Amino acid sequence: MMEKRKQWKGFTDFQLKWLALVLMVFDHIHYFFGFTGKVPEWFSMLGRVSAPLFLFCLLEGFAHTRNRKKYFLRIYAIAVGMGALQYVFLSFVRRPDGFVPQNQMLATFSILLVILQGIEWCRQRQWLKGLCAVLLPLLWPVLGMGLIYQVPASTPVVLILHYTVLPMHTAIMDGGTYFILEGLLLYGLRKNRALQAAAFFAAALLLEGLAPFLLTPGAEFRMLFTQMYGWMSGFAAIPMYLYNGKRGRGNKQMFYWFYQAHVYVQYGISRVMKIFQWQQA
């Protein structure tokens, strides 16, 4: 009797992370080595799907983890370390063309996790700490920029805080405010997978496509497929919809360490290549 073939029943969490990781590598190859003129633009177009998938997995992890404090602290600690290194790069280790990697995706995740926990506390009628957890991360950029405006000498302190322990969502290039909004949308609709996926696709088109297009003077329609293609992140809705709700097998720590390692390795290689290119010019 022939053995029945196993039917594919969607992506596990681990498989989604692997898909996101591969697409992230494509994106960052273009990000770090685009200056060579040898890396096609579609590398970055594919990479638009990566961050939303990591965001989706983050929310699933938050919803299912048995220790939210530990879950948050792991991500936050890495975010602080990477942010501190980014500040060092900005100050001392720029590439000859001035390029510095914007690697604060985990900082965005940290802000989102605090807000989500605040929402959960509010649902439990723990209003004081709940509202503080929701509002303070959202208002910190206003307070920080107000401090800089009123006391210009405070600028270095606010910047150091931003790149380390108190990131400002409005100043993060790798994610930031729109990413937090998309995360809140995904989390609020997570019990209805079809609606969740459709809403995310629509939000990506609006926040990363239509809004930037309308706010950019002189923007042309073709630019949505050549330069302003952030809206392509909406296609992450497809694997999100195909998520089967299972964790899957694998080493979850690997993704955290790979993210850090590949950023610094690629930046280091690109810096050496740029220095060599600059010397040959």
Side-chain angles (χ1 to χ4, degrees):
M1 186 175 181
M2 294 183 62
E3 184 179 349
K4 291 183 179 180
R5 292 183 180 180
K6 293 183 178 179
Q7 293 184 345
W8 183 66
K9 296 181 180 180
F11 292 107
T12 65
D13 179 85
F14 190 71
Q15 290 169 338
L16 284 179
K17 287 177 180 176
W18 264 109
L19 176 60
L21 184 148
V22 171
L23 295 176
M24 176 181 68
V25 171
F26 271 92
D27 184 32
H28 285 171
I29 289 174
H30 180 269
Y31 181 60
F32 286 107
F33 302 102
F35 70 88
T36 65
K38 304 295 184 181
V39 185
E41 196 76 31
W42 61 263
F43 270 44
S44 191
M45 292 178 179
L46 287 176
R48 297 304 89 198
V49 174
S50 174
L53 287 183
F54 278 126
L55 173 64
F56 179 83
C57 293
L58 173 90
L59 298 174
E60 288 299 307
F62 174 80
H64 292 108
T65 184
R66 287 176 289 184
N67 191 331
R68 287 183 175 176
K69 182 178 180 180
K70 183 178 179 181
Y71 186 73
F72 165 75
L73 288 176
R74 182 191 302 121
I75 295 172
Y76 181 63
I78 298 173
V80 171
M82 294 187 73
L85 279 175
Q86 184 176 340
Y87 185 78
V88 172
F89 291 153
L90 284 166
S91 304
F92 309 108
V93 200
R94 288 177 179 266
R95 235 167 47 181
D97 59 354
F99 175 86
V100 173
Q102 301 293 328
N103 56 326
Q104 283 191 289
M105 183 174 72
L106 295 182
T108 301
F109 287 174
S110 298
I111 296 170
L112 177 59
L113 288 177
V114 172
I115 295 172
L116 289 176
Q117 185 58 52
I119 292 172
E120 292 299 319
W121 281 330
C122 287
R123 286 176 177 172
Q124 299 166 13
R125 298 187 178 182
Q126 301 180 51
W127 298 110
L128 180 58
K129 65 179 181 179
L131 290 174
C132 286
V134 172
L135 296 177
L136 290 180
L138 295 176
L139 295 177
W140 161 234
V142 178
L143 298 174
M145 295 308 297
L147 183 59
I148 289 175
Y149 180 78
Q150 294 294 331
V151 187
S154 67
T155 300
V157 175
V158 174
L159 286 178
I160 291 174
L161 289 174
H162 164 64
Y163 284 110
T164 54
V165 295
L166 289 176
M168 295 185 285
H169 60 89
T170 56
I172 295 176
M173 302 297 293
D174 189 7
T177 306
Y178 75 87
F179 216 52
I180 290 173
L181 294 175
E182 290 175 349
L184 292 172
L185 179 68
L186 284 172
Y187 190 75
L189 298 175
R190 59 178 298 275
K191 293 184 179 181
N192 187 328
R193 192 72 66 206
L195 180 59
Q196 181 191 45
F200 175 79
F201 184 76
L205 290 182
L206 175 62
L207 296 175
E208 302 181 59
L210 182 61
F213 177 76
L214 294 178
L215 294 174
T216 302
E220 301 178 5
F221 181 74
R222 61 180 178 82
M223 294 171 64
L224 291 172
F225 301 91
T226 57
Q227 300 173 39
M228 305 172 68
Y229 47 78
W231 61 271
M232 292 183 181
S233 65
F235 290 113
I238 298 173
M240 287 178 188
Y241 176 70
L242 296 175
Y243 173 56
N244 62 18
K246 298 180 180 179
R247 180 176 179 180
R249 295 181 180 181
N251 183 357
K252 63 181 180 180
Q253 301 295 334
M254 184 271 293
F255 296 101
Y256 296 114
W257 295 112
F258 182 86
Y259 174 70
Q260 300 174 75
H262 96 286
V263 165
Y264 300 130
V265 168
Q266 290 194 75
Y267 178 60
I269 295 173
S270 74
R271 189 169 185 271
V272 171
M273 290 176 63
K274 195 65 180 179
I275 290 173
F276 181 77
Q277 183 186 70
W278 178 68
Q279 291 175 341
Q280 296 299 311

